[in-house]
Amino acid sequence: MTEQHFEPYSGVSEEQRSKTLQELEGQDWGEPNFPSYLVRTCHALRRKPLRDFTVEDLRIMIGQNISLNYLMPLAIEQLQRDPLAAGDFYPGDLLANVLKVKSGFWQLQPHLRRAVQDIVDHLTPFPEDLHQALLVFQHP
């Protein structure tokens, strides 16, 4: 991998990082009404301050296209430090979920898309197991 020189992305303020998604969005989802691990986890993560989110937390929520306006900047920060940052599955699982985000989000946030494209462009060689996700990102 080549040395990377990224402009740090600061799309989420320190004040926002101290709050939860529930507080930032003004929506309390209440208790989960479906007993799956994923549903329970997403509900719980909405009550966790952004500054406490782990790579795995970001991977889960971004994989569900939840609260992307707040979480994508945090994911980009992680990926700028380590493009193959790993949640609980494999190196690059966060990047894979970022690349698979619905194209409508990228249309509304082109500056975030450019930041992700910059990360991808500097990731050489590009991991074979992420090519499918890259195709989703490049050809919505």
Side-chain angles (χ1 to χ4, degrees), residues 50-69:
L50 296 187
R51 70 170 171 259
D52 296 337
F53 266 60
T54 65
V55 170
E56 176 64 4
D57 297 339
L58 291 168
R59 184 196 67 77
I60 289 170
M61 297 293 272
I62 289 171
Q64 297 302 307
N65 287 280
I66 296 173
S67 303
L68 296 177
N69 287 330

Side-chain angles (χ1 to χ4, degrees), residues 8-9 22 39 68 81 94 96 131 134 140:
Y9 189 78
Q22 186 170 284
V39 170
L68 296 177
R81 287 192 292 275
L94 175 60
H131 274 282
L134 181 60

Side-chain angles (χ1 to χ4, degrees), residues 11-135:
V12 180
S13 72
E14 286 304 313
E15 181 182 346
Q16 290 172 321
R17 290 167 195 262
S18 70
K19 295 182 179 183
T20 67
L21 292 169
Q22 186 170 284
E23 292 169 325
L24 290 167
E25 296 175 345
Q27 294 179 348
D28 183 350
W29 285 8
E31 293 304 313
N33 58 5
F34 189 76
S36 79
Y37 170 80
L38 184 58
V39 170
R40 287 191 320 270
T41 300
C42 290
H43 277 254
L45 289 173
R46 287 191 48 78
R47 294 183 176 113
K48 184 176 190 176
L50 296 187
R51 70 170 171 259
D52 296 337
F53 266 60
T54 65
V55 170
E56 176 64 4
D57 297 339
L58 291 168
R59 184 196 67 77
I60 289 170
M61 297 293 272
I62 289 171
Q64 297 302 307
N65 287 280
I66 296 173
S67 303
L68 296 177
N69 287 330
Y70 293 106
L71 299 180
M72 190 61 71
L74 301 179
I76 289 169
E77 288 175 7
Q78 289 286 338
L79 295 170
Q80 286 176 332
R81 287 192 292 275
D82 178 5
L84 297 179
D88 288 353
F89 291 117
Y90 56 89
D93 60 3
L94 175 60
L95 179 57
N97 277 10
V98 165
L99 293 172
K100 292 186 275 186
V101 163
K102 294 179 181 180
S103 63
F105 174 76
W106 299 123
Q107 290 169 356
L108 295 173
Q109 301 290 346
H111 62 291
L112 295 178
R113 189 181 195 293
R114 283 190 299 275
V116 172
Q117 185 64 59
D118 195 32
I119 292 164
V120 167
D121 290 346
H122 286 88
L123 186 56
T124 55
F126 194 82
E128 184 65 35
D129 57 339
L130 297 180
H131 274 282
Q132 206 51 35
L134 181 60
L135 288 174

